[in-house]
Amino acid sequence: MGDDTNQSSIIHRADGVTTAERYLKKLCERTFLSLWSYPGIYRNQGNVKTGEGKEVCDLLVVFQNHVIIFSDKDCAFPNSGDTELDWSRWFRRAVMESAKQVWGAERWIKSYPNRLFLDRACTQPFPIELPNLGTASFHRIVVAHDASRRCKEELGGSGSLMLAPSVIGPMHYDHSKGGCKPFTIGQIDPSKGFVHVFDDTSLDIVMNTLDTITDFVNYLSKKEAFISSGRLGWTAGEEDLLAFYLRELNESGEHDFVVPPDTHKVYIEEGHWEDFSRHPQRLAQVDANRVSYAWDALIETFSGHIFAGTSYTMSHPELRDQEKLFRLFAREPRTRRRMLARSLFELIKKSPRSQRATRVILPSQEGEPYYVFLLLPELEHVPYAQYREVRRKFLNACCMVTKLKFPEAQDILGIATETGINENSSHDAAYFDAREWTAEDEAEAQSLHEDLGLLVNVNEFASRELEYPELQVVHPFAARRAPRSTMKGRDRNAPCPCRSGKKYKKCCG
């Protein structure tokens, strides 16, 4: 994908002003990918004399119905010798001021969605179409630096701040309001919307673990719901809360904060993340996920051409239109990206260089798209531009024939590339919305199927991809012990909640 077309649609994004902002951009591009990560957002309501806009937030992510607002503050933690006074001063500057920026950004976005810009001069409008702001999910994130270092010096451990929802507003820093609570984050102001506070330790852990947009927002949403339920007493750190989340599945098979019905409060002690990150199944998961980053790289390659205006995707020249296509690729969680990337590589590896090959990836559950992978040999006597045009038409035809073969299909995504393993291979992408399928469409698809021999012997691919590869271990994640503080008062002769089949006193007790 890529030539010298569409030069008029070049998009320039900021890099961030401070070292911390540039690092945040790097993390966000890895997790959300660059097409959905925009540092340094401005509004055209700034200095009248200079004509410069005013900063809205340090980084903005817009993906489907989710809007993620980041405020990044790198404030030095004071060292007066009075820990409570130092915490109070740091919290007001690093957390409270950032929270105000996040709430203000949310108000502006909701009030003036068409007045967001990528540059201080306000000449480049924000390129992603915003969702319905009446129903959109806003996620507010404050990144507060330098407290982890002092926290580790004072309390030991990882340096991650403790989370305690019972600490609300001024209780964080004001003795007269029931404070001060050094190195403890609760609810900044529930009336204005929940704010997630990440420190230097938790920022890296959360964003490097939940490194797809779907996995990340699912955690934030479930965390907000868990804290709002009043069932979290405290957790020693964000990473321990994350480990608790990743070890449990709810009745729908989703990661969640699953708490026994007779447990009033959950207290998550330090060490859960350390146990989780060292567990053989987690290590096996990290190793198995390596192939999945080829899926990220593929999307980033497309994104780079979209930003540079060199996309071969001629039918959708505007970034807003192309973003709608590639968000379907990017909404895949990490485990499914692993399966998709491996399937594509296997097809390339086993297919002869001189032969066309196709593979249809079936959904593993309702609502997921169908995928069509097409490998088409490049012919020496055919000009490259002509080859790419033919390949795009073939890919679109394959998507239509997939609907013919699988009438229940609604979203059909296609990827085409050359046959053979080639470091300089190019890719085409296609999306076919099969919801409005007419008799004319079916007749055309039938003709393509017969005339071009498309999907005559369809190569279907379906597999069961386990998030945590199965290993012979004593305690798989589905049977890990609950946070110890949730077990108080439990009958020690009752079955262990880790579902090992043993009595509690003989197992986790």
Side-chain angles (χ1 to χ4, degrees):
M1 178 174 182
D3 65 5
D4 58 356
T5 61
N6 276 345
Q7 291 292 343
S8 61
S9 60
I10 296 175
I11 301 294
H12 298 285
R13 298 181 309 139
D15 291 320
V17 177
T18 66
T19 301
E21 289 175 358
R22 289 191 289 273
Y23 183 63
L24 177 63
K25 177 192 175 185
K26 180 180 177 180
L27 285 176
C28 288
E29 287 182 345
R30 184 178 186 273
T31 298
F32 313 122
L33 305 181
S34 57
L35 192 56
W36 297 277
S37 303
Y38 293 89
I41 301 301
Y42 294 88
R43 64 178 189 256
N44 56 351
Q45 185 197 35
N47 191 312
V48 177
K49 294 182 179 179
T50 64
E52 294 182 343
K54 187 173 182 180
E55 188 177 64
V56 175
C57 60
D58 293 310
L59 193 141
L60 183 64
V61 176
V62 175
F63 190 95
Q64 292 188 171
N65 199 47
H66 296 278
V67 179
I68 308 175
I69 304 171
F70 284 88
S71 178
D72 186 294
K73 288 291 183 293
D74 192 2
C75 300
F77 200 100
N79 189 10
S80 68
D82 185 334
T83 300
E84 291 189 358
L85 178 61
D86 293 343
W87 166 261
S88 176
R89 289 173 174 173
W90 177 86
F91 183 89
R92 291 171 187 266
R93 292 179 57 209
V95 179
M96 283 303 303
E97 290 304 313
S98 287
K100 291 175 182 177
Q101 183 188 37
V102 169
W103 289 320
E106 181 178 357
R107 288 194 302 271
W108 181 267
I109 292 169
K110 288 180 175 179
S111 301
Y112 307 102
N114 297 320
R115 293 171 64 182
L116 298 172
F117 299 88
L118 300 184
D119 59 325
R120 189 180 295 275
C122 296
T123 61
Q124 271 203 105
F126 186 72
I128 304 294
E129 183 178 351
L130 296 174
N132 182 331
L133 298 175
T135 59
S137 295
F138 279 80
H139 306 281
R140 311 160 197 90
I141 299 177
V142 164
V143 180
H145 298 279
D146 205 41
S148 292
R149 174 189 55 80
R150 183 68 175 275
C151 180
K152 195 170 184 176
E153 291 174 359
E154 296 276 347
L155 304 178
S158 69
S160 181
L161 301 176
M162 180 182 290
L163 304 183
S166 61
V167 178
I168 300 174
M171 293 173 64
H172 288 92
Y173 56 84
D174 191 341
H175 277 289
S176 66
K177 303 294 183 181
C180 160
K181 306 287 185 182
F183 310 114
T184 301
I185 298 292
Q187 301 181 72
I188 311 303
D189 187 342
S191 67
K192 295 180 179 178
F194 188 88
V195 175
H196 302 266
V197 179
F198 293 152
D199 51 62
D200 291 309
T201 300
S202 59
L203 177 70
D204 276 353
I205 290 175
V206 172
M207 296 199 69
N208 285 319
T209 304
L210 305 170
D211 56 359
T212 75
I213 182 71
T214 297
D215 294 321
F216 187 83
V217 298
N218 283 349
Y219 170 70
L220 295 189
S221 299
K222 297 287 177 56
K223 174 187 167 185
E224 292 174 29
F226 183 41
I227 289 177
S228 297
S229 73
R231 303 192 76 184
L232 176 62
W234 51 256
T235 177
E238 183 86 40
E239 72 273 23
D240 295 306
L241 183 68
L242 176 62
F244 181 33
Y245 167 84
L246 290 174
R247 283 174 172 165
E248 300 293 337
L249 298 175
N250 60 24
E251 295 178 352
S252 300
E254 302 170 337
H255 283 297
D256 206 344
F257 299 96
V258 180
V259 180
D262 60 343
T263 300
H264 179 60
K265 290 278 188 183
V266 175
Y267 301 89
I268 305 173
E269 299 173 346
E270 192 169 19
H272 281 265
W273 173 255
E274 186 175 357
D275 289 346
F276 172 84
S277 60
R278 293 180 179 180
H279 194 282
Q281 277 186 291
R282 169 59 180 167
L283 298 177
Q285 179 198 32
V286 171
D287 187 60
N289 281 345
R290 295 185 192 281
V291 68
S292 73
Y293 294 98
W295 193 259
D296 301 43
L298 180 62
I299 299 171
E300 286 294 83
T301 299
F302 283 115
S303 300
H305 287 296
I306 292 172
F307 286 134
T310 57
S311 173
Y312 259 107
T313 309
M314 302 292 288
S315 57
H316 299 294
E318 297 299 324
L319 185 147
R320 288 193 176 198
D321 294 321
Q322 294 196 64
E323 182 271 333
K324 293 175 184 177
L325 187 163
F326 290 108
R327 88 167 62 141
L328 295 171
F329 291 89
R331 73 180 182 183
E332 298 289 2
R334 180 58 57 199
T335 302
R336 187 160 163 82
R337 292 187 194 192
R338 183 203 307 168
M339 181 274 293
L340 290 166
R342 187 171 60 242
S343 175
L344 179 57
F345 284 150
E346 287 175 353
L347 181 64
I348 294 172
K349 186 176 180 180
K350 78 171 192 176
S351 301
R353 280 184 174 271
S354 60
Q355 295 181 15
R356 187 180 76 205
T358 54
R359 172 174 283 183
V360 176
I361 310 296
L362 305 181
S364 55
Q365 60 185 16
E366 187 178 353
E368 292 177 346
Y370 285 70
Y371 282 90
V372 183
F373 295 156
L374 167 66
L375 307 183
L376 193 65
E378 185 179 353
L379 302 177
E380 293 183 2
H381 63 278
V382 176
Y384 184 69
Q386 183 180 344
Y387 162 74
R388 291 295 297 272
E389 182 63 25
V390 169
R391 194 172 75 184
R392 284 195 297 274
K393 290 181 178 178
F394 255 93
L395 183 59
N396 289 328
C398 285
C399 290
M400 290 192 70
V401 176
T402 298
K403 173 64 175 180
L404 185 70
K405 289 280 188 177
F406 303 96
E408 70 280 6
Q410 293 187 333
D411 295 309
I412 302 172
L413 296 170
I415 295 177
T417 188
E418 297 89 351
T419 53
I421 300 174
N422 182 358
E423 292 183 359
N424 298 316
S425 60
S426 61
H427 298 84
D428 292 306
Y431 169 59
F432 183 66
D433 186 346
R435 291 169 178 80
E436 298 181 3
W437 183 252
T438 65
E440 290 77 10
D441 292 330
E442 184 163 357
E444 182 181 355
Q446 185 65 44
S447 176
L448 292 168
H449 172 54
E450 296 172 355
D451 296 345
L452 299 178
L454 295 178
L455 305 183
V456 174
N457 298 311
V458 60
N459 184 355
E460 300 178 21
F461 184 88
S463 69
R464 177 171 173 262
E465 190 72 30
L466 296 177
E467 180 181 12
Y468 300 109
E470 288 184 330
L471 299 173
Q472 295 299 318
V473 295
V474 177
H475 274 292
F477 282 146
R480 292 292 288 171
R481 67 180 67 188
R484 281 186 296 233
S485 296
T486 68
M487 309 306 297
K488 293 179 179 179
R490 181 175 293 277
D491 182 0
R492 290 174 53 79
N493 290 308
C496 187
C498 78
R499 300 187 290 278
S500 65
K502 300 177 181 180
K503 292 182 178 180
Y504 171 55
K505 67 180 181 180
K506 295 290 186 180
C507 188
C508 293

